[in-house]
Amino acid sequence: MHQDVEQILYTEEELRRRVKEVGAQITADYYGRQPLLISVLRGSYIFMADLTRAISLDLTVDFMVVSSYGAGTVSSGQVEIKKDLSDSIEGRDLIIVEDILDSGNTLYYLMDVLKARKPASIRLCTLMDKPDRRTKPITADYVGFTIPDAFIVGYGLDYDEKYRNLPYVGVLKPSVYQRGAEPS
């Protein structure tokens, strides 16, 4: 796996430090409230686990599976909810926790769906923000890192369901995902 990574963007220590900072900011912003953190699976599961431990508040968590990628490297633009929330969110303070904000298609769609369910508030927290790829008018309230337009893996982020378990975030060598696009 490591040999497929062109460069490490963020080390384990840098990720740990930044997640603690984001958690402290959420703790301050939601003091006296009990937010519901919604993890958008699968990519955000490691970030979500670390983030919840970095927030010093009573909170609850839920999970959704929303996809617009399939096995490719570029968003298909077709958004599908594969697993919905378990409970009502009406009147709740929501924080959507995502691994990466890229084109914005998935999160723009998801925000509309969740707003219709009448929460008290919705904020977005993303580990990685890739603004150069944005096609929808959406911004995150909490950002771990702003990154260049490169295909990244590790710390939950994947390519074709691989590399999620890398302890750092790195740029995947183009030769890895171009291999998959070549005719057999």
Side-chain angles (χ1 to χ4, degrees):
M1 285 188 309
H2 300 283
Q3 71 278 4
D4 293 340
V5 174
E6 187 172 82
Q7 126 188 47
I8 295 174
L9 287 180
Y10 302 105
T11 65
E12 280 184 84
E13 181 54 39
E14 289 170 316
L15 289 163
R16 190 173 311 124
R17 184 175 36 251
R18 186 65 187 130
V19 171
K20 281 184 179 185
E21 292 168 356
V22 171
Q25 185 61 55
I26 290 171
T27 299
D29 291 351
Y30 284 86
Y31 179 79
R33 299 188 307 200
Q34 184 180 5
L36 168 61
L37 276 67
I38 299 172
S39 177
V40 182
L41 297 174
R42 294 183 197 150
S44 69
Y45 78 101
I46 293 174
F47 176 45
M48 174 78 154
D50 289 346
L51 182 64
T52 58
R53 289 189 297 258
I55 298 172
S56 298
L57 298 170
D58 287 331
L59 56 83
T60 54
V61 299
D62 206 341
F63 303 89
M64 294 185 83
V65 177
V66 183
S67 179
S68 70
Y69 278 83
T73 60
V74 178
S75 174
S76 69
Q78 300 295 318
V79 180
E80 176 185 5
I81 294 178
K82 295 183 175 185
K83 184 224 174 283
D84 209 336
L85 298 171
S86 301
D87 299 309
S88 171
I89 59 170
E90 187 170 344
R92 299 292 312 270
D93 290 311
L94 309 180
I95 302 172
I96 299 171
V97 179
E98 180 62 293
D99 56 349
I100 188 165
L101 176 53
D102 193 336
S103 69
N105 289 333
T106 302
L107 288 170
Y108 190 79
Y109 171 83
L110 182 58
M111 297 279 277
D112 277 350
V113 167
L114 296 178
K115 283 177 190 173
R117 298 178 186 181
K118 301 182 174 134
S121 66
I122 301 178
R123 288 193 177 167
L124 175 59
C125 177
T126 187
L127 176 63
M128 301 289 164
D129 186 13
K130 194 188 294 187
D132 292 345
R133 302 269 309 205
R134 196 88 73 249
T135 61
K136 296 288 185 185
I138 188 168
T139 57
D141 301 282
Y142 304 99
V143 174
F145 301 94
T146 300
I147 61 169
D149 186 9
F151 198 85
I152 60 170
V153 294
Y155 196 71
L157 295 136
D158 76 301
Y159 167 65
D160 200 20
E161 297 302 324
K162 298 176 186 89
Y163 308 100
R164 291 187 194 280
N165 57 326
L166 291 173
Y168 52 80
V169 171
V171 176
L172 190 62
K173 290 179 181 174
S175 60
V176 174
Y177 53 86
Q178 289 168 348
R179 264 192 308 240
E182 293 175 344
S184 6

